[in-house]
Amino acid sequence: MNDRLCRICQFPSTLFYRDARTFFKCPNCSLIFTNDLPKKEIEEDHYKTQWKTTDPDFWDSQATGLISYIEKYGILPNNHRILDFGSGSGELAQELQRRGYRVTALEPMTDGYLTDQNYPFLFDAVVAIEVIEHLPNVWEELQEIEKVLKPEGVIVFSTGLTNPFIDLPDAAAQFKEWWYKDDPTHISFFCNQTLSVMAEMKN
């Protein structure tokens, strides 16, 4: 049996599914993950291709949903700073700026990671839209985010979840057909159980 340590909770994880990549599932937090990372040049080409095919209406919708969420925590235009972590082509940051938010875009591929930055201020919110599934060192990045976040600040992540099938007998078969896993830069797949374990580990 091929075991790997879960990158979230460090539990030995068993083989879940294999195609061009090998995926493991954690028995504790139900994270599905792979250690088959794309080569740097493949990763960069993939990201740049995605940036060229983005739909402005998509980012308008994303901004609307994000604003409706962060406003519940008092993050309002003109008064608060937002870091768009993993900003890609910068279209979400631009849309938020258009709506009056003070936004700093950070795309690790072009700007370096948070450890490479020296911001003269802290942020009220850090948003990472479709980012966490790409990170090989999730906890390290969360720690770096916390360093640039105000004590009362908010972190918002979004990612595709395995909730619809993760606990079903044919979960591996459904995972095989799930389009989200076919992105070669997606290496971790979360569900509510994973997020619950992460919350417990933070407390």
Side-chain angles (χ1 to χ4, degrees):
M1 184 178 296
N2 293 319
D3 289 345
R4 295 291 186 275
L5 294 181
C6 173
R7 63 170 49 102
I8 295 301
C9 66
Q10 296 297 296
F11 263 64
S13 302
T14 56
L15 179 67
F16 178 68
Y17 173 75
R18 178 180 286 134
D19 51 19
R21 298 188 290 171
T22 300
F23 298 88
F24 300 89
K25 179 184 175 185
C26 176
N28 180 55
C29 74
S30 294
L31 181 79
I32 298 172
F33 64 97
T34 180
N35 294 313
D36 297 326
L37 309 184
K39 293 181 179 179
K40 193 67 176 176
E41 59 270 21
I42 294 175
E43 182 181 38
E44 292 185 1
D45 287 345
H46 179 78
Y47 286 141
K48 290 176 181 177
T49 299
Q50 285 189 323
W51 296 352
K52 292 176 182 176
T53 58
T54 54
D55 179 359
D57 290 338
F58 171 79
W59 292 115
D60 178 78
S61 173
Q62 288 289 303
T64 298
L66 179 61
I67 289 169
S68 68
Y69 184 79
I70 63 177
E71 283 187 343
K72 296 176 183 179
Y73 293 89
I75 310 299
L76 303 172
N78 303 316
N79 298 323
H80 298 94
R81 295 186 182 276
I82 297 174
L83 175 66
D84 183 7
F85 176 66
S87 57
S89 59
E91 290 174 271
L92 176 62
Q94 292 167 15
E95 181 61 28
L96 291 171
Q97 289 167 348
R98 190 182 68 80
R99 300 188 189 199
Y101 285 88
R102 294 189 291 175
V103 184
T104 299
L106 174 65
E107 171 47 49
M109 195 177 78
T110 55
D111 305 320
Y113 280 85
L114 279 168
T115 54
D116 305 312
Q117 314 306 314
N118 187 23
Y119 298 120
F121 44 73
L122 297 176
F123 294 94
D124 300 283
V126 176
V127 300
I129 306 304
E130 304 291 312
V131 172
I132 195 170
E133 67 274 7
H134 299 266
L135 302 177
N137 301 304
V138 176
W139 288 114
E140 290 180 17
E141 291 305 325
L142 285 173
Q143 289 171 354
E144 292 301 320
I145 286 173
E146 288 180 339
K147 292 177 183 178
V148 302
L149 191 68
K150 289 182 179 179
E152 69 280 9
V154 177
I155 304 174
V156 181
F157 284 95
S158 74
T159 188
L161 297 176
T162 61
N163 289 344
F165 59 82
I166 191 66
D167 293 322
L168 299 179
D170 65 342
Q174 294 207 38
F175 182 75
K176 176 183 177 181
E177 302 301 324
W178 192 34
W179 67 271
Y180 205 67
K181 70 109 173 57
D182 294 328
D183 186 320
T185 64
H186 290 183
I187 61 173
S188 296
F189 304 93
F190 299 76
C191 65
N192 284 353
Q193 173 65 12
T194 317
L195 300 177
S196 177
V197 169
M198 290 179 71
E200 291 174 2
M201 291 175 68
K202 284 293 294 177
N203 293 332

